[in-house]
Amino acid sequence: MSDAAPRQRVIIDANSKLIMPRHIKMRHDTERGRWIILAPERLFDPDDVAVEVLKLCDGDRSVKDIVTMMAKEYNAPEGEISIDIITMLQDLSDKGVVVAQ
Amino acid sequence: MDEQTPKHVSESGMPVGARETDDAPVENQANEEEACARAPIGMLCELTHRCPLQCPYCSNPLDLERANTEMTTEQWQDLMRQAADLGVLQIHLSGGEPAARKDLEDIVKVAAEVGLYTNLITAAVTLTRERVEKLRDLGLDHVQISIQDVEPGNADKISGYKNGLEKKIEVAKWVKELGMPLTINAPIHRHNIKSVPKMIDFAVELGAGRIEIAHVQYYAWALLNRAALMPTREGFNEAAKYVEAARERLKGILVIDAVVPDYYAKYPKPCMGGWGRGIVNITPQGRVLPCHAAESIKGMEFDNIKDKKLAEIWLNGDAFNKYRGTSWMKEPCRSCDRKEVDYGGCRCQAFALTGDATNTDPACSLSSLHEEWANVAEKESHAPSTDFVYRRVGGAKKADTNPA
Ligand code: SF4
Ligand code: SF4
C-alpha cells in the first residue's frame, strides 16, 4: 500500500526502507540539463547526492545500507553522512517524495 | 546553530498561485530564471468551459467559450506533443469540467506517452469509477478534486448543484482505492471560511496527501461577486492562524498549501510566477495566454495554437513579450528590490482596477491606490452579502443590466 497517504507521520531511522511511490517521478530534464523530481503541484530540484540516494531507495535497501554505500563512495565517515542523509530523507518523507515499505 | 545541515533538495510549488510570505527576505525567493527562460514549466489546459456546477468565483472568463468552438481531440493531442518537445514538465487538465470531454482519456494517453506529468483538476460530480480507473491505467499521475464546503446544503448552494458533495466523496474514495494521489482543493470565501478546520479534517479522512486552502482570487466571476464573497480581515486572520497550526500538527500526513487573498496581503503575488515565465494557459478554442485572465486586458491580441506552434508563441508572441521580465515597468516597481520577486503583481488586476496594465498591482501596499482599494473590500466584507451571480453562459450579462 505504498500509495496510500500515511495517516501517521513516518519517522526515518537507519532501518527504514524507502521507495519513491509511483506518482513521484525523478527524471533527467534534458531541456534544462538537470535532474528533477515531479510530484503533485510540485517540482523538486535534487543535487547529485540526493539523486544518488534516491536511486538507491528501492524499498529493499535500508537507510543504513545506503549510508554505507555513500560513505564508501565519498570516502567520508558514516556518522556524518548518516545524519545528513536521514535529515534529507525525513524531509522528503514529510513531503511524500519517499514512502516507507 | 550556524553549522546547518546541507540541503540537498530544493522545492518549488507550481507557479500558478505560489507566493512567499510577505516578510520572506528577498534573496530567499526561488529563482527559477534558468529553468523558465526557454520553456514554461507548467501548462494549464482549459479543455472546455462546460461545467455542471456554477460556482460564483469561477476563474473562467465571463464570456464562456461554447462547446462547438472547442479544439478537437487531435488538436489537443498535438499540443501535448509540442509541449513535451518544448520542455513543459507538468500539465494541468482543467476546465470548466475536463471530464465533460468524452475524449479526456485520449488526451491523457498522449500526454503520458510523451512524458508529461499529468494532473486532473476536476469537480468530480460526473466521473465514474470506470473512467477514473481507465485514466489511471493510461498514466494519469494525480487527481485534484474541488469542494465547495463540507456542509452538504451549503455546498449545494454555492455550486448551484444538488448533492454534489456526496458524489465528490465517492469519487475521492475511488481515487484512493485505485492507488492514486489525491488533492482536495477548497476555494475559500465568506460563506465557507468557518469550515476551514473541518475541510482539513475531511482531507485527512479521505486520505488526501494535500489540500489547497485557496482563498478566492478576485478576477472574472469572483470580481463580479466580490461583495458576496470577500471574507472579513478578522475571519481571514483566524483561518490563517488555524492553517498555520494545522500544518505543523499534520506534518508528514497532509501537505497544506494556502493561497492568500491579495486584499489582505502587503505585497502582491507573482501572478503565474511572472508573466511569460513559468506557465502557459490554453483556452478551449486554443488561444494561448500568459494567464487565464489575460483576455480581460483590453486591446491585447492572443495567438491561437491552430495557427502557430507553441514554441513560436511562447518565445516570440506579442502577448508574452509585452509584460515579460521587468523592462515594461513604471514606478514604484521599476526601482523596487522586489521586482523580480513578484514581477509587479498581476497585470489583469492592475488593468481591471487602474485601466492600465503597466501600473503597479493595487494589491501592493506601495501602490498609491492600495489603501482605497483595500478599504472598499473591507467595507464590502462587513456589509450583508449580495446574491450570487452564478457562473453560466450569459449569467454575467444579466447581472450587468440588473442594477443591484
Ligand atoms: S469553479 Fe465551479 S463552475 Fe468553475 S469550473 Fe470549477 S467547478 Fe465548474
Ligand atoms: S512596488 Fe512593484 S515590485 Fe515592488 S513590491 Fe510592489 S508590486 Fe512588487
Side-chain angles (χ1 to χ4, degrees):
Chain A
M1 279 303 289
S2 61
D3 278 340
R7 295 300 87 182
Q8 235 183 347
R9 185 183 184 198
V10 173
I11 302 298
I12 308 297
D13 61 25
N15 297 316
S16 307
K17 294 181 173 177
L18 302 169
I19 192 165
M20 282 192 275
R22 192 181 76 120
H23 65 267
I24 301 289
K25 295 186 168 160
M26 182 166 77
R27 64 175 173 85
H28 194 255
D29 178 7
T30 31
E31 268 305 306
R32 301 171 183 86
R34 59 169 190 180
W35 282 87
I36 42 160
I37 301 168
L38 294 164
E41 304 282 335
R42 284 283 192 289
L43 201 64
F44 296 92
D45 193 355
D47 68 5
D48 295 347
V49 172
V51 171
E52 256 182 88
V53 168
L54 286 169
K55 280 185 180 166
L56 293 172
C57 286
D58 59 359
D60 265 337
R61 292 188 187 93
S62 67
V63 169
K64 189 173 184 317
D65 298 336
I66 294 173
V67 167
T68 308
M69 292 169 84
M70 295 295 287
K72 230 180 244 156
E73 183 170 342
Y74 284 84
N75 210 355
E78 282 197 21
E80 236 170 69
I81 289 214
S82 172
I83 295 172
D84 186 28
I85 289 182
I86 289 179
T87 308
M88 171 178 88
L89 289 173
Q90 182 66 58
D91 181 48
L92 292 176
S93 165
D94 287 344
K95 290 170 178 160
V97 175
V98 290
V99 292
Q101 276 304 79
Chain B
M1 279 289 292
D2 48 307
E3 181 85 2
Q4 283 228 331
T5 331
K7 207 164 170 357
H8 293 292
V9 185
S10 58
E11 176 186 7
S12 50
M14 290 313 285
V16 183
R19 77 196 295 163
E20 297 279 333
T21 48
D22 279 347
D23 35 19
V26 167
E27 320 77 74
N28 278 8
Q29 307 289 341
N31 194 341
E32 287 278 293
E33 204 63 68
E34 253 303 291
C36 296
R38 276 165 299 158
I41 299 278
M43 181 164 81
L44 201 67
C45 303
E46 294 172 4
L47 294 183
T48 174
H49 281 163
R50 285 172 285 153
C51 182
L53 276 57
Q54 309 179 21
C55 311
Y57 47 73
C58 185
S59 64
N60 288 161
L62 297 179
D63 227 337
L64 296 164
E65 294 179 11
R66 312 277 169 149
N68 59 7
T69 64
E70 288 171 13
M71 285 208 287
T72 64
T73 312
E74 292 71 34
Q75 284 165 333
W76 280 112
Q77 289 175 329
D78 180 59
L79 176 63
M80 297 302 147
R81 295 191 187 98
Q82 288 191 45
D85 282 348
L86 179 59
V88 170
L89 300 173
Q90 292 213 359
I91 55 155
H92 309 273
L93 299 165
S94 158
E97 171 50 46
R101 284 200 59 132
K102 294 199 182 64
D103 58 357
L104 175 62
E105 289 83 344
D106 304 315
I107 298 168
V108 166
K109 180 169 185 281
V110 172
E113 273 169 13
V114 296
L116 294 166
Y117 195 92
T118 52
N119 173 26
L120 181 67
I121 301 180
T122 176
V125 297
T126 59
L127 277 170
T128 60
R129 190 185 160 107
E130 290 66 47
R131 282 195 90 183
V132 179
E133 187 164 5
K134 179 96 192 282
L135 287 164
R136 180 202 60 177
D137 294 345
L138 290 168
L140 181 67
D141 289 300
H142 169 231
V143 179
Q144 172 170 319
I145 297 180
S146 59
I147 59 166
Q148 282 67 33
D149 196 359
V150 286
E151 199 278 296
N154 200 37
D156 285 0
K157 184 177 169 242
I158 295 166
S159 60
Y161 185 89
K162 273 234 164 326
N163 303 324
L165 185 65
E166 205 181 310
K167 190 65 214 284
K168 286 164 191 278
I169 293 174
E170 192 179 24
V171 177
K173 286 185 177 155
W174 296 334
V175 170
K176 288 314 300 171
E177 279 165 30
L178 291 164
M180 302 171 84
L182 171 71
T183 289
I184 297 295
N185 165 274
I188 306 297
H189 46 82
R190 71 194 269 181
H191 294 278
N192 68 4
I193 193 163
K194 283 251 175 312
S195 297
V196 165
K198 283 194 191 138
M199 289 170 176
I200 292 173
D201 293 344
F202 174 87
V204 172
E205 274 160 36
L206 280 174
R210 185 171 162 271
I211 187 170
E212 284 179 3
I213 299 294
H215 280 272
V216 162
Q217 300 294 305
Y218 292 89
Y219 314 117
W221 293 89
L223 186 57
L224 197 63
N225 280 299
R226 194 180 61 189
L229 296 170
M230 183 65 69
T232 61
R233 188 182 288 270
E234 302 74 49
F236 163 68
N237 285 340
E238 198 183 309
K241 238 165 86 199
Y242 186 88
V243 166
E244 221 30 72
R247 192 179 272 149
E248 227 5 79
R249 173 167 59 86
L250 294 171
K251 198 169 188 177
I253 296 172
L254 182 73
V255 174
I256 305 180
D257 284 331
V259 179
V260 176
D262 270 339
Y263 287 72
Y264 297 137
K266 191 160 146 206
Y267 299 119
K269 62 182 176 307
C271 193
M272 298 288 142
W275 187 275
R277 268 187 92 241
I279 290 275
V280 60
N281 184 94
I282 316 289
T283 77
Q285 300 181 350
R287 275 204 300 283
V288 184
L289 313 178
C291 142
H292 55 77
E295 288 172 300
S296 64
I297 304 176
K298 298 253 153 56
M300 284 191 77
E301 301 269 351
F302 299 97
D303 289 315
N304 194 301
I305 195 68
K306 286 179 262 181
D307 308 322
K308 281 185 192 166
K309 292 285 178 216
L310 183 64
E312 167 66 17
I313 299 174
W314 173 262
L315 291 170
N316 303 321
D318 286 347
F320 282 85
N321 280 334
K322 194 147 184 185
Y323 304 121
R324 188 176 256 148
T326 56
S327 56
W328 53 270
M329 286 178 178
K330 301 201 271 198
E331 294 297 348
C333 294
R334 180 173 279 276
S335 51
C336 178
D337 68 351
R338 290 180 61 89
K339 70 179 173 188
E340 287 187 350
V341 173
D342 60 37
Y343 293 89
C346 169
R347 304 285 46 86
C348 309
Q349 192 150 268
F351 180 82
L353 299 164
T354 75
D356 179 353
T358 62
N359 279 333
T360 298
D361 181 349
C364 178
S365 53
L366 300 174
S367 156
S368 56
L369 293 162
H370 179 77
E371 226 181 276
E372 184 191 336
W373 172 78
N375 284 342
V376 171
E378 179 119 35
K379 229 181 253 154
E380 280 177 356
S381 76
H382 286 284
S385 169
T386 53
D387 288 339
F388 289 152
V389 179
Y390 284 103
R391 169 246 203 246
R392 54 174 85 113
V393 173
K397 295 226 176 59
K398 240 177 277 157
D400 275 351
T401 53
N402 182 356

